[in-house]
RNA sequence: CGGGGUAUAGCGCAGUCCGGUAGCGCAUCUGGUUUGGGACCAGAGGGUCGUAGGUUCGAAUCCUGCUACCCCGACCA
C-alpha cells in the first residue's frame, strides 16, 4: 500500500489539511481565507442540509432569506453584539468602479461612496430583528419560527479549510416568542436537534451543555453548545443555540400586545450550524488511508468495481455490475458503478478508500463462476467473499453496522480520553501531555477561567446539561465549587 | 496582527550559496501489452521559475516591495 497521506501520528494537523484536499472536499481559493467547496465535499454538505432541513421542518420551522448586507447603523444597536463582531466585519463602502485615467486598469470610483456603509453579515440577528419589528404587533403574530440557509463572512486572521474560513455556509434559525419560557424551550429544542443530528447522521457523539459567560454568543443570555472530541483529543464546537432574551427586541424596539393586553418586548432565540461540521466529520472518523464517511451522509454508500481481462469480459462485467447496481438502487442505496476502463482495480480501491465510500463491492471472472462477490467495509478495512444471492440485504445490514460502529468507535475514543481531576498538577499534565476532555472543579469566575486559559490554552467548553452537583474546590483558585465543568483545548 | 518558513510544468521536488537562458518523479497525451490492491514498454506535449520593480551585457539565482500558503502566538463558529 503506497503512502499518500501524512499519518495522524506524524502530524495530525497536516493529516487533516492533506486529507481535505486529496479527498476532493475543498481547496483554497484565490481569495484569502475563502475556500472552494468541491463537488464531492458539497455533496456531503447537501446531505447534511437535507437531513437538518427535514428536522427543522418537523419542529415547525420554515425557511426564508434575508439580505447579505446589513446597514452599519443596525450593528451598533445591541452593544455586546457589536463588540463581539466588530473586529471581523467586511465593509462595503462604494458601489461603482471606473476605468483609471491612465488606462492601467480599474479603480473604486471615489464619487460612488455609499451614504451608509454596509456590513457583510457575520450573522443576521440585526437585519432580521429590524424586519421582525414590522411583522410583530400582537401575540397572535407569534411565534415566528424562521430558518435561513446562507453564507456569512467573518474576517478571520488564521483560516483552515472548513474549520475556520472567512466566508462559510451555514443555517441560522431566528425565532420570536411571546414568553421567556417558550423561547428557552425553543433554545433547548434546537440544541437537542443538533445533538441528534450529530449522533444519528454524522455518527459523532457530542456533549451538550451551556457556555460560560466568557464563551457566550455576543448578545445572548445563554448559549447552548454541542462539543465533539476530535481524534487528537481537542474539542470542536459543532453547533450552538442561543437564548437571546429580550436583548434584540429592545435594541430594535420589537413589542407586542399580549393576551392580557400588556405591551411587552418579544423573546428571541437563534441557532446555527455551519460547514464546520464537515471538519468535525473528517476529524472524527477518518484514518491514515483517507476519509471514513458515515453511510447516512456518504454521497455514494457503495462503489462497485469490476475486475476483468479483455473486451469480452469487460462487456460481461458491465452487464453484471449494472444489474447489481440496479438491485441496490431499488432498495434505496446510493451506488456508484465505476466501470471506467481508464483505471485499474487497484487504483480504484485506493481512490475510494481515500474518499471514504463505506462499502466496496468487487467482482471478477472467478466470482462470476461461483456466483460470489467481494465485499469490503471502509471503517475496518475488512473484506470477505460472499454469495451474490442476498446482496441487497447484506449491504443494507453492513451500512447500518458501519454507521453504528463508527459512532461507537468515536464514543469509545472520547471515553478513553476523558478524565476527572482534582489537582492543578493532574490538570496540566493531561492538557499538555495527553490531550482530551477534563472534568474539573471551577470557582465560577471569568477571572479564573481566563487564567487557566492563559496558563494551559484549555478553555471551558461547557457546563454539561444535567451536570451532577458535587462539592469540591476549584483546581486553580482552591475556592469552593459545586460542580465539575468540561475543560479542553479547542479548535 | 507579530515571529519563522515556503513559492520553479497539473501535483511533489532539485537547481539559488558561486548569475550564462531549466531538470527529475508522478500526472497528462499517442501506440502497444496489461487488469483480483495505486501496471509495464516506447514515444510526445507542457514552465516568460508567485508578482512588481531594481542591479547586470545577461537573473529562477543578487537586492527591494507586494501577494498567497504552512508552522508558532494573539482573536474566533
Amino acid at each position: 500500500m503506497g503512502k499518500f497521506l501524512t499519518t495522524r501520528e506524524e502530524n495530525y494537523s497536516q493529516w487533516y489539511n492533506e486529507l481535505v484536499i486529496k479527498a476532493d472536499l475543498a481547496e483554497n481559493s484565490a481569495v484569502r481565507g475563502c475556500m472552494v467547496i468541491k463537488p464531492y465535499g458539497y455533496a456531503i454538505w447537501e446531505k447534511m442540509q437535507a437531513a437538518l432541513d427535514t428536522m427543522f421542518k418537523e419542529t415547525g420551522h420554515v425557511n426564508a432569506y434575508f439580505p447579505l448586507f446589513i446597514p452599519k447603523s443596525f450593528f451598533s444597536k445591541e452593544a455586546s453584539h457589536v463588540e463581539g463582531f466588530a473586529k471581523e466585519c467586511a465593509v462595503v463602502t462604494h458601489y461603482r468602479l471606473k476605468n483609471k485615467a491612465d488606462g492601467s486598469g480599474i479603480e473604486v470610483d471615489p464619487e460612488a461612496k455609499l451614504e451608509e456603509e454596509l456590513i457583510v453579515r457575520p450573522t443576521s440577528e440585526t437585519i432580521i430583528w429590524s424586519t421582525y419589528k414590522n411583522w410583530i404587533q400582537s401575540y397572535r403574530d407569534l411565534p415566528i419560527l424562521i430558518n435561513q440557509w446562507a453564507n456569512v463572512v467573518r474576517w478571520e486572521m488564521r483560516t483552515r479549510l472548513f474549520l475556520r474560513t472567512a466566508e462559510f455556509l451555514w443555517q441560522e434559525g431566528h425565532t420570536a416568542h411571546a414568553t421567556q419560557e417558550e423561547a428557552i424551550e425553543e433554545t433547548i429544542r434546537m440544541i437537542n436537534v443538533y445533538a441528534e443530528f450529530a449522533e444519528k447522521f454524522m455518527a459523532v457523539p457530542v456533549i451538550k451543555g451551556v457556555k460560560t459567560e466568557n464563551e457566550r454568543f455576543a448578545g445572548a443570555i445563554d448559549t447552548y453548545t454541542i462539543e465533539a472530541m476530535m481524534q487528537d483529543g481537542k474539542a470542536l464546537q459543532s453547533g450552538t443555540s442561543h437564548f437571546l432574551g429580550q436583548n434584540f427586541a429592545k435594541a430594535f424596539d420589537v413589542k407586542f400586545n399580549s393576551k392580557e393586553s400588556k405591551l411587552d418586548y418579544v423573546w428571541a432565540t437563534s441557532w446555527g450550524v455551519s460547514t464546520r461540521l464537515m471538519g468535525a466529520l473528517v476529524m472524527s472518523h477518518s484514518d491514515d488511508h483517507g476519509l471514513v464517511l458515515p453511510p447516512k451522509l456518504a454521497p455514494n454508500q457503495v462503489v462497485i468495481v469490476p475486475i476483468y481481462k479483455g473486451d469480452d469480459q469487460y462487456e460481461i462485467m458491465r452487464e453484471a455490475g449494472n444489474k447489481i447496481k440496479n438491485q441496490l438502487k431499488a432498495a434505496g442505496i446510493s451506488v456508484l458503478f465505476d466501470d471506467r476502463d481508464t483505471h485499474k482495480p487497484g487504483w480504484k480501491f485506493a481512490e475510494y478508500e481515500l474518499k471514504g465510500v463505506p462499502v466496496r463491492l468487487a467482482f471478477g471472472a472467478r466470482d462470476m463462476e461461483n456466483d460470489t462477490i467481494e465485499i469490503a467495509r471502509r471503517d475496518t478495512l475488512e473484506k470477505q467473499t460472499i454469495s451474490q444471492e442476498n446482496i441487497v440485504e447484506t449491504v443494507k445490514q453492513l451500512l447500518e453496522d458501519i454507521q453504528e460502529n463508527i459512532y461507537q468507535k468515536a464514543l469509545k475514543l472520547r471515553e478513553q480520553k476523558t478524565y476527572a481531576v482534582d489537582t492543578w498538577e493532574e490538570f496540566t499534565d493531561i492538557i499538555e501531555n495527553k490531550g482530551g476532555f477534563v472534568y474539573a472543579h471551577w470557582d465560577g469566575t471569568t477571572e479564573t477561567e481566563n487564567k487557566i486559559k492563559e496558563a494551559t490554552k484549555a478553555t471551558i467548553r461547557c457546563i454539561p446539561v444535567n451536570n451532577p452537583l458535587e462539592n469540591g474546590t476549584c483546581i486553580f483558585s482552591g475556592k469552593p465549587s459545586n460542580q465539575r465543568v468540561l475543560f479542553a483545548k479547542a479548535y
Side-chain angles (χ1 to χ4, degrees):
Chain A
M1 175 79 55
K3 207 188 119 188
F4 295 90
L5 279 174
T6 299
T7 63
R8 288 164 293 178
E9 183 145 342
E10 280 169 347
N11 188 335
Y12 190 83
S13 153
Q14 197 180 331
W15 165 81
Y16 173 82
N17 293 338
E18 283 179 16
L19 182 50
V20 168
I21 287 167
K22 291 190 175 171
D24 250 355
L25 301 179
E27 61 187 34
N28 283 303
S29 70
V31 186
R32 181 197 190 100
C34 295
M35 64 179 161
V36 174
I37 304 177
K38 297 184 78 177
Y40 193 63
Y42 201 79
I44 298 171
W45 175 240
E46 283 180 314
K47 291 241 170 189
M48 290 184 173
Q49 281 185 301
L52 283 164
D53 203 62
T54 301
M55 294 170 94
F56 298 158
K57 302 274 168 65
E58 279 168 358
T59 44
H61 303 87
V62 290
N63 286 330
Y65 187 79
F66 293 84
L68 169 67
F69 301 120
I70 299 174
K72 195 174 74 179
S73 60
F74 282 21
F75 241 83
S76 46
K77 293 195 178 182
E78 214 290 327
S80 58
H81 193 65
V82 201
E83 204 185 319
F85 287 105
K87 286 169 289 180
E88 48 187 26
C89 283
V91 185
V92 181
T93 56
H94 293 75
Y95 58 87
R96 194 195 297 144
L97 299 171
K98 65 171 190 179
N99 288 315
K100 280 188 181 169
D102 63 4
S104 67
I106 54 172
E107 63 181 356
V108 172
D109 186 342
E111 286 174 23
K113 201 166 186 315
L114 287 173
E115 286 276 313
E116 178 169 9
E117 290 164 343
L118 298 171
I119 312 293
V120 181
R121 63 177 166 222
T123 180
S124 301
E125 275 77 5
T126 57
I127 187 78
I128 286 178
W129 279 87
S130 76
T131 308
Y132 281 1
K133 177 178 166 59
N134 303 324
W135 293 0
I136 300 167
Q137 280 91 38
S138 152
Y139 70 92
R140 295 191 184 92
D141 299 322
L142 297 171
I144 293 178
L145 305 173
I146 285 181
N147 174 65
Q148 84 166 343
W149 290 96
N151 59 337
V152 286
V153 169
R154 295 178 189 176
W155 215 259
E156 298 291 347
M157 311 222 161
R158 233 175 115 186
T159 60
R160 283 186 82 191
L161 293 173
F162 291 120
L163 297 174
R164 179 169 301 106
T165 47
E167 180 192 14
F168 56 94
L169 305 184
W170 77 344
Q171 58 68 218
E172 45 182 325
H174 294 274
T175 68
H177 306 266
T179 65
Q180 173 172 11
E181 294 68 38
E182 196 183 303
I184 291 173
E185 206 177 287
E186 166 78 1
T187 309
I188 293 167
R189 178 180 303 119
M190 297 323 287
I191 202 66
N192 285 333
V193 163
Y194 289 154
E196 188 185 338
F197 171 76
E199 301 195 335
K200 297 260 171 67
F201 286 85
M202 296 175 65
V204 173
V206 292
I207 307 277
K208 279 184 286 190
V210 184
K211 288 288 187 188
T212 60
E213 186 185 348
N214 213 20
E215 300 274 330
R216 205 176 280 160
F217 175 75
I221 306 284
D222 262 323
T223 288
Y224 285 78
T225 177
I226 50 170
E227 300 284 327
M229 184 194 282
M230 304 296 99
Q231 290 179 60
D232 61 352
K234 283 169 83 172
L236 184 70
Q237 180 176 307
S238 305
T240 47
S241 182
H242 315 291
F243 169 58
L244 302 174
Q246 295 174 309
N247 290 350
F248 285 91
K250 283 177 181 164
F252 289 90
D253 194 34
V254 188
K255 292 178 192 161
F256 74 107
N257 268 305
S258 68
K259 239 177 193 168
E260 297 76 29
S261 198
K262 241 180 64 194
L263 202 57
D264 196 9
Y265 289 109
V266 176
W267 298 86
T269 82
S270 69
W271 28 273
V273 293
S274 71
T275 38
R276 180 179 242 201
L277 289 177
M278 294 287 293
L281 193 67
V282 172
M283 285 198 288
S284 293
H285 307 305
S286 301
D287 61 23
D288 296 341
H289 298 273
L291 286 183
V292 174
L293 295 176
K296 285 189 181 172
L297 295 176
N300 303 302
Q301 296 173 307
V302 177
V303 62
I304 307 174
V305 177
I307 297 154
Y308 53 87
K309 289 180 188 169
D311 288 349
D312 293 353
Q313 275 197 13
Y314 181 53
E315 283 311 316
I316 295 168
M317 297 303 166
R318 278 184 69 171
E319 201 176 309
N322 275 313
K323 213 175 117 195
I324 298 166
K325 173 185 168 179
N326 290 333
Q327 280 177 37
L328 292 168
K329 269 179 82 173
I333 297 164
S334 55
V335 191
L336 175 69
F337 175 36
D338 188 349
D339 62 352
R340 286 179 298 173
D341 193 25
T342 50
H343 296 280
K344 292 186 54 169
W347 188 93
K348 292 177 184 175
F349 291 176
E351 175 73 6
Y352 295 114
E353 258 161 34
L354 182 60
K355 291 197 158 187
V357 179
V359 173
R360 182 186 73 228
L361 297 171
F363 66 97
R366 217 158 62 206
D367 296 298
M368 295 297 279
E369 271 172 40
N370 305 327
D371 206 30
T372 56
I373 193 161
E374 183 189 88
I375 185 165
R377 54 188 291 178
R378 177 61 185 89
D379 58 338
T380 60
L381 294 168
E382 289 164 343
K383 56 185 178 185
Q384 53 176 318
T385 300
I386 59 163
S387 161
Q388 277 193 36
E389 211 174 325
N390 296 319
I391 186 75
V392 173
E393 273 314 304
T394 308
V395 168
K396 253 185 160 169
Q397 186 58 52
L398 185 55
L399 288 170
E400 280 174 32
D401 287 354
I402 293 171
Q403 183 81 31
E404 177 64 16
N405 179 52
I406 62 174
Y407 174 81
Q408 290 300 337
K409 209 169 150 185
L411 183 61
K412 209 168 150 191
L413 183 88
R414 190 183 76 190
E415 281 167 359
Q416 279 169 2
K417 286 181 182 283
T418 297
Y419 311 86
V421 306
D422 295 309
T423 69
W424 181 244
E425 289 68 35
E426 289 174 282
F427 182 82
T428 52
D429 176 52
I430 289 167
I431 292 296
E432 277 157 31
N433 304 322
K434 294 192 183 121
F437 286 3
V438 181
Y439 287 97
H441 282 282
W442 163 60
D443 65 20
T445 67
T446 298
E447 191 191 350
T448 298
E449 185 180 1
N450 283 334
K451 280 183 180 162
I452 292 173
K453 183 178 175 181
E454 229 169 88
T456 64
K457 286 175 204 144
T459 50
I460 300 177
R461 301 319 303 153
C462 67
I463 301 157
V465 298
N466 303 322
N467 203 29
L469 291 182
E470 175 196 306
N471 287 322
T473 56
C474 176
I475 46 158
F476 187 83
S477 68
K479 290 178 189 161
S481 147
N482 64 357
Q483 62 179 342
R484 292 173 185 274
V485 298
L486 176 59
F487 284 92
K489 281 190 194 168
Y491 276 96

